[in-house]
Amino acid sequence: MRLRFLKSLLAGVLSSASCAVFAVDNHQALLDKLHLPEGFSVSVYADGLPNARSLALGDNGVVFVGTGKEGKVYAVTDSNADGLAEPHRLIASGLAMPNGVAYKDGALYVAAINRILRYDAVVQHLDHPPAPVVVYGKFPEDKHHGWKYLRFGPDGKLYTAVGAPCNICNPEQDIYTSLVRLNPDGSGLEILARGIRNTVGFDWQPQTGALYFNDNGRDYLGDDVPPDELNRWTTKGEHFGYPYCHGGDIPDPEFAAGKKCADFTAPVWKYPAHVAPLGMRFYQGGQFPAAYQGQLFVAQHGSWNRTEPQGYRVVLLKFDKQGQVVAEEDFISGWLDKDGTVSGRPVDILAMPDGSLLISDDKQGLIYKVSYKPTH
């Protein structure tokens, strides 16, 4: 009996070791497919995070990870600074698409579909997370484009967006298709702009403080129409066109009657159609070459119903000295094979204190780390 037990135990150990080796090999095969500019490298920072989406940096290097359908929020930490995070801790579960995560003054804020929750002193209680406090609970409950992105702005207020509850429609309630902000305690909700179909990524330009946000264009107008958008918000009350006008100059065949595209704020950059731009970050770190300072990294999640898939990459948008976007180029590619096979879907981008970038992948349940080291 004892011999049988030892054999069983040994088999289990060997099986676990084999799985670990397989997992490492699996990640390496994925990493080997990815292409980056010279001097840059990509590694797996954290794995075992099903549906990993939005990222937020807390105190002591703790990274919080929101999800969508998984309904969970994770925390990961690289305590020994070896470039690989330890196994994740579960902060919350059973939530309705808790995509958005933000951190301020020791508290984690989580945006589910219809509410924003706050977890106080969470970094000190990662193994036994506190019960959440409801900060705001009056957002619509629609699941279609109901997932939210969440960030604190330079003014200390929470920013998020409420998407259209459809592919294309004209909701009667002003809260839909809107960019909003509110105080950290949930008071003072303001609608800043409307005409925004689905934004799941925004950031503030360091040189100007202006808020830039991505917007995913409508479906079923064709493989190449309309473009996805990068927009710049400047004035309360602005309207960015949806559902009447797309890409700044494409009238919608169902809703454009009596409207002029010139009456709406046009995008500052047009992405290819259906690439699904999500998380974005203006680079302000000290690790990458000077040419990357103030430039915008964007995660393109990838198309879901285009005849030939496109996206599935991280791009760099280049701004000139006048603050205008002048070029879009690949920064990381390789998640999309030539035969259309998809091996990863980047979602969000987070700048780390050392100047590296973290990138989430909700298909693989991974977080990648991008670093730079001169080659000569």
Side-chain angles (χ1 to χ4, degrees):
M1 181 68 74
R2 180 177 176 81
L3 181 59
R4 187 181 304 166
F5 170 77
L6 290 174
K7 287 182 177 180
S8 176
L9 181 63
L10 180 60
V13 171
L14 292 175
S15 176
S16 297
S18 298
C19 288
V21 171
F22 176 76
V24 170
D25 290 345
N26 225 22
H27 291 337
Q28 193 57 55
L30 173 61
L31 295 174
D32 288 344
K33 296 171 64 172
L34 302 181
H35 308 287
L36 295 87
E38 184 178 359
F40 288 92
S41 62
V42 60
S43 60
V44 171
Y45 181 79
D47 62 1
L49 300 165
N51 198 221
R53 286 182 62 86
S54 294
L55 305 173
L57 180 63
D59 296 324
N60 303 329
V62 177
V63 174
F64 295 100
V65 187
T67 66
K69 60 186 178 180
E70 194 72 14
K72 298 178 179 178
V73 178
Y74 308 107
V76 294
T77 309
D78 177 15
S79 300
N80 60 3
D82 66 351
L84 181 64
E86 292 82 41
H88 72 262
R89 293 175 169 99
L90 182 64
I91 301 301
S93 61
L95 301 179
M97 293 189 177
N99 179 87
V101 285
Y103 187 87
K104 184 176 177 62
D105 297 333
L108 171 67
Y109 293 75
V110 176
I113 285 182
N114 67 327
R115 58 184 184 163
I116 297 175
L117 306 173
R118 188 185 73 236
Y119 296 79
D120 294 323
V122 65
V123 171
Q124 290 75 36
H125 301 92
L126 294 177
D127 292 320
H128 301 284
V133 174
V134 178
V135 171
Y136 187 85
K138 297 180 181 179
F139 288 124
E141 297 184 359
D142 306 81
K143 292 183 179 180
H144 200 133
H145 299 150
W147 50 88
K148 290 175 174 56
Y149 195 69
L150 192 67
R151 290 284 300 277
F152 275 98
D155 56 5
K157 295 191 176 187
L158 275 169
Y159 286 70
T160 189
V162 181
C166 56
N167 169 43
I168 184 73
C169 61
N170 190 11
E172 292 183 3
Q173 294 175 262
D174 286 347
I175 191 64
Y176 290 109
T177 76
S178 68
L179 175 70
V180 304
R181 70 181 171 196
L182 62 164
N183 297 319
D185 64 2
S187 64
L189 180 75
E190 300 174 84
I191 294 179
L192 302 179
R194 295 198 66 231
I196 302 164
R197 180 177 176 269
N198 180 33
T199 179
V200 196
F202 45 79
D203 197 13
W204 287 262
Q205 189 178 42
Q207 297 92 331
T208 65
L211 173 58
Y212 285 77
F213 64 91
N214 288 322
D215 194 10
N216 289 206
R218 68 158 292 180
D219 296 310
Y220 308 119
L221 286 186
D223 278 352
D224 300 310
V225 179
D228 288 334
E229 303 176 6
L230 175 69
N231 292 288
R232 172 174 169 157
W233 174 76
T234 56
T235 306
K236 189 173 179 179
E238 274 184 287
H239 197 294
F240 288 87
Y242 177 91
Y244 313 112
C245 185
H246 311 288
D249 55 8
I250 302 172
D252 187 85
E254 299 176 55
F255 291 95
K259 304 290 184 180
K260 296 180 180 179
C261 286
D263 292 337
F264 306 109
T265 303
V268 297
W269 185 256
K270 300 177 185 181
Y271 301 103
H274 310 303
V275 297
L278 299 183
M280 52 190 277
R281 279 295 191 282
F282 285 99
Y283 188 75
Q284 303 180 64
Q287 185 180 126
F288 293 4
Y292 289 88
Q293 276 296 319
Q295 306 302 301
L296 184 62
F297 289 97
V298 178
Q300 295 184 349
H301 195 228
S303 58
W304 68 273
N305 66 343
R306 194 173 184 273
T307 304
E308 292 187 13
Q310 65 180 2
Y312 307 97
R313 59 185 181 172
V314 174
V315 300
L316 181 70
L317 294 189
K318 292 188 172 182
F319 287 69
D320 63 17
K321 294 181 180 180
Q322 288 70 46
Q324 304 298 314
V325 188
V326 293
E328 174 182 341
E329 62 183 40
D330 284 4
F331 180 70
I332 307 177
S333 60
W335 286 295
L336 176 63
D337 293 340
K338 292 182 179 180
D339 65 0
T341 301
V342 173
S343 55
R345 304 192 76 182
V347 179
D348 199 15
I349 301 172
L350 179 67
M352 296 298 282
D354 66 354
S356 64
L357 294 180
L358 298 186
I359 299 167
S360 59
D361 178 341
D362 65 353
K363 179 177 176 63
Q364 291 288 346
L366 299 176
I367 298 176
Y368 308 93
K369 182 176 183 177
V370 178
S371 303
Y372 177 79
K373 186 177 181 180
T375 55
H376 55 274

